[in-house]
Amino acid sequence: MNARNLPPTTWTTGSTEVFRTGTWRARLPRHVSAASPCHAACPVNGDIAHWIGRARERDFRGAWEILTRNNPFPAVAGRVCHHPCETACNRQGYDEALAICKLERHVGDLGLAERWSFPAPPTEHTERIAIVGGGPSGLAAAYHLRRRGYAVTIFEAQAQLGGLMRDGIPAYRLPREVLDGEIARMVALGVEVRCSTPVASAQAFAQLREAFDAVYVAAGARRPKRLPQLDPAQPWVVDGAAWLAQANAGTAPALGPRVLVVGGGSAAIDVARSARRAGYEVTMLALEARAQMPAQLAEVEEALEEGVRLVDGAALVTAAAGATGVVIACVRVNFVAGAGRGHFRVEPIAGSGFTLEADAIVSSIGQDPDLAPFAQALPADGALLRVDAQQATGAEGVYAGGDVASTMRFVTEAIGMGKRAAIEIDRALSAKAGRAPGATDAAGVEAGASHERLAGERLAGFGVEVPGPVALDAIATFYHPQAERAPEARLAPQARLGNAEVQLGLDLERALAEAARCFSCGTCIACDNCFHYCPDLAIRRLPDGGYEVDGNYCKGCGICVRECPTGSMEMIEEVK
């Protein structure tokens, strides 16, 4: 028989594996473990795609465990976080951003309802850490250090832990049983707490440094900023932070029937809404136009629904007692934001003056930290303690974070700083002791593990990191039907009496529907699309659930990458 008439090799071998077509390609696909945009934006580096994936599978305990590796207060954060993750969400470019914050609240509330607790540290270290301040940053640092086995003592000036979560956020936004429950769960790890114990002098701070192996300063910012136009000695001039703390404790002093709140941030909104609940007629005066106000949009909308009057884009010029109350001269302004937070200029508009009347003026334009106890030992940067990217102050064994070291006055930013400091303290002390940092919990996963570590485990070591978060155009959106975001649910304005919580959570079915909207950006979900669509059978399933590309057969067509619903594959140029 002529050789030309022989049957193809596959007929005699029963397999096409003899045709190693991989030599045809110029590019090669690979599976990657890439950061999702929400992870990159999250102040605590939360593994958002991973815990939402668990929630989607109804494994809420698993979701809670992943969530709390980075943030010990999911029920708190799910209520008060400024959620930059949602602004970054790829879904926003497709239909609507995922309601990540509401999902976090749902998981956090389940954790409280089911009384889920943290495992005991797997080992105990001899080093002792002092935390100055029991607000969100100090509590977060204590949590991460205790999970790594350190002896931790919190020194809190107030009678209770919580800092401005307790004193500065009203119960209608953050119910006290939620705050107390999440703090108690953290303290139950074995954290020593000394309330009503301020570190108020240089000598006290020096003694603390002498007695402990490391110190984390998270003393917050409680010194009110003053408006030069207002005389603080006048009985009708009131500090907003002090009044709000008293209101939250149920002991607020009377103000008079008409109240003017000066400020445009979340604290000013909280003062205004709390004053409305106390029965006052409330007007807010904000330098910024409504769209520029630093308060979250939902907070502004809720305040207006509750009867707060907003005078935006205007500045207070003078205030003086008159026959029928305090007469406040104001002027319309153009508010021009600067390059960074707290940097701006105000341009008065000629001929735009007007007056308001009130019985009390509550100034709520922010607070500065009191650096006096630390000034001799720690370098300052203006009104803040100077720290590096790991929250180190430059003084041996001393770290700082939260409002004492940053103008990012958000609860989750403070939590993230506490986590970073804990990781750095652990690294430094472990290096001194000659041991590896990062103790592991009972599940064998590093407490506070990063997205990259977890994703790498999921891909069984075959994931390859890529720079930058996954972009929307890397997602095969065909596999994600368009679906509307979970709607905002609030109490009706007339039902918002006392401390009733205004924003409502998601029920189970709505939470599952919202979790199903997640693209799982950069995270392999083992959907098998790459395996099924490969025309050359070049994708291999691995025994532990991951995949690998067999270069002997892959022609580099890129179909697997185009069909990936999570953007966890990419094409790379292959140099031969």
Side-chain angles (χ1 to χ4, degrees), residues 372-570:
F374 320 110
Q376 295 179 16
L378 307 179
D381 185 4
L384 304 172
L385 292 180
R386 183 185 303 157
V387 295
D388 63 15
Q390 285 71 47
Q391 309 302 134
T393 63
E396 179 68 23
V398 182
Y399 305 79
D403 291 353
V404 78
S406 172
T407 59
M408 296 295 289
R409 302 292 168 86
F410 298 108
V411 167
T412 46
E413 293 285 355
I415 291 171
M417 286 182 263
K419 174 191 166 186
R420 283 197 298 275
I423 291 171
E424 182 61 16
I425 290 169
D426 176 44
R427 185 205 62 77
L429 294 180
S430 295
K432 281 186 179 180
R435 62 173 180 262
T440 57
D441 62 23
V445 180
E446 182 182 342
S450 68
H451 169 97
E452 291 78 12
R453 164 78 179 274
L454 291 169
E457 290 174 350
R458 182 135 187 187
L459 288 175
F462 288 88
V464 182
E465 287 304 313
V466 293
V470 173
L472 177 59
D473 60 10
I475 306 289
T477 55
F478 171 82
Y479 296 101
H480 302 278
Q482 290 202 337
E484 67 178 23
R485 171 188 167 101
E488 292 289 328
R490 305 170 184 165
L491 278 185
Q494 60 270 24
R496 299 175 194 174
L497 302 175
N499 290 330
E501 189 169 9
V502 172
Q503 294 192 10
L504 307 179
L506 304 177
D507 61 23
L508 175 61
E509 292 309 312
R510 185 69 257 187
L512 290 171
E514 195 64 20
R517 297 181 65 237
C518 181
F519 286 160
S520 298
C521 302
T523 301
C524 178
I525 57 173
C527 68
D528 272 357
N529 270 15
C530 57
F531 176 82
H532 288 305
Y533 282 102
C534 178
D536 296 296
L537 306 181
I539 304 294
R540 310 290 189 202
R541 289 196 192 105
L542 298 172
D544 43 19
Y547 304 92
E548 67 178 352
V549 178
D550 190 333
N552 289 321
Y553 303 102
C554 173
K555 293 199 295 289
C557 67
I559 291 176
C560 57
V561 175
R562 291 195 297 274
E563 296 296 329
C564 180
T566 67
S568 56
M569 292 193 74
E570 69 168 2

Side-chain angles (χ1 to χ4, degrees), residues 105 111-112 117 131 150 160 164 172 249 257 284 303 310 378 392 433 460 516 547:
R105 169 177 168 169
L112 289 172
S117 61
I131 309 289
Y150 292 96
Q160 291 179 284
L164 289 180
Y172 60 81
M284 280 190 68
L310 175 62
L378 307 179
Y547 304 92

Side-chain angles (χ1 to χ4, degrees), residues 58-93:
R58 293 177 179 254
D59 178 11
F60 288 104
R61 176 62 187 262
W64 180 85
E65 289 175 351
I66 294 173
L67 226 171
T68 55
R69 286 172 187 153
N70 296 289
N71 176 16
F73 309 120
V76 170
R79 287 169 166 83
V80 304
C81 183
H82 58 303
H83 45 75
C85 54
E86 295 184 14
T87 302
C89 178
N90 270 330
R91 189 102 199 186
Q92 185 158 265

Side-chain angles (χ1 to χ4, degrees), residues 6-375:
L6 288 174
T9 308
T10 187
W11 292 7
T12 56
T13 64
S15 171
T16 60
E17 290 184 355
V18 295
F19 300 117
R20 298 198 168 189
T21 56
T23 56
W24 300 4
R25 68 175 178 269
R27 296 191 305 160
L28 180 71
R30 63 177 180 178
H31 294 84
V32 296
S33 167
S36 58
C38 56
H39 168 81
C42 177
V44 301
N45 284 126
D47 298 300
I48 296 171
H50 288 87
W51 68 256
I52 290 180
R54 292 289 184 89
R56 186 167 55 239
E57 297 163 3
R58 293 177 179 254
D59 178 11
F60 288 104
R61 176 62 187 262
W64 180 85
E65 289 175 351
I66 294 173
L67 226 171
T68 55
R69 286 172 187 153
N70 296 289
N71 176 16
F73 309 120
V76 170
R79 287 169 166 83
V80 304
C81 183
H82 58 303
H83 45 75
C85 54
E86 295 184 14
T87 302
C89 178
N90 270 330
R91 189 102 199 186
Q92 185 158 265
Y94 182 59
D95 45 26
E96 296 178 278
L98 204 70
I100 299 169
C101 211
K102 293 290 188 186
L103 277 174
E104 182 170 8
R105 169 177 168 169
H106 184 83
V107 174
D109 284 353
L110 274 176
L112 289 172
E114 298 294 329
R115 299 184 182 275
W116 294 334
S117 61
F118 302 125
T123 187
E124 294 286 349
H125 301 310
T126 59
E127 296 93 340
R128 301 169 64 232
I129 318 297
I131 309 289
V132 182
S137 198
L139 292 171
Y143 165 79
H144 286 288
L145 287 163
R146 184 68 197 120
R147 288 201 75 175
R148 286 165 167 79
Y150 292 96
V152 179
T153 303
I154 298 175
F155 295 85
E156 167 56 45
Q158 305 302 313
Q160 291 179 284
L161 294 175
L164 289 180
M165 291 189 295
R166 185 178 303 281
D167 296 336
I169 302 178
Y172 60 81
R173 289 183 57 210
L174 178 56
R176 292 305 177 253
E177 63 271 19
V178 171
L179 177 62
D180 292 339
E182 294 208 304
I183 290 176
R185 181 176 58 207
M186 184 278 295
V187 172
L189 280 170
V191 175
E192 181 183 358
V193 176
R194 300 184 190 178
C195 287
S196 302
T197 310
V199 179
S201 67
Q203 181 182 7
F205 183 58
Q207 291 172 346
L208 212 62
R209 293 186 66 187
E210 184 68 25
F212 289 84
D213 296 283
V215 179
Y216 180 57
V217 178
R222 291 181 177 269
R223 175 175 289 176
K225 292 182 178 180
R226 305 288 188 189
L227 275 172
Q229 302 95 316
L230 296 178
D231 178 3
Q234 295 295 331
W236 40 265
V237 175
V238 180
D239 170 49
W243 187 87
L244 186 57
Q246 291 175 292
N248 289 339
T251 59
L255 294 174
R258 299 169 299 171
V259 174
L260 178 72
V261 178
V262 181
S266 292
I269 291 281
D270 286 339
V271 170
R273 295 176 70 188
S274 295
R276 280 292 299 140
R277 281 161 174 74
Y280 299 113
E281 177 187 316
V282 181
T283 299
M284 280 190 68
L285 183 67
L287 282 175
E288 306 90 348
R290 180 173 167 179
Q292 297 173 302
M293 290 171 62
Q296 295 183 46
L297 175 61
E299 296 175 293
V300 179
E301 291 175 347
E302 289 165 10
L304 295 175
E305 290 172 354
E306 293 162 11
V308 173
R309 176 192 176 200
L310 175 62
V311 179
D312 59 337
L316 184 153
V317 180
T318 62
T324 58
V326 181
V327 179
I328 303 111
C330 306
V331 64
R332 296 288 177 183
V333 298
N334 289 319
F335 179 89
V336 182
R341 183 176 175 83
H343 297 278
F344 60 88
R345 73 176 189 272
V346 175
E347 301 171 344
I349 299 173
S352 65
F354 62 98
T355 59
L356 299 171
E357 280 200 9
D359 298 293
I361 300 176
V362 184
S363 177
S364 187
I365 59 171
Q367 297 85 42
D368 289 323
D370 180 5
L371 301 186
F374 320 110

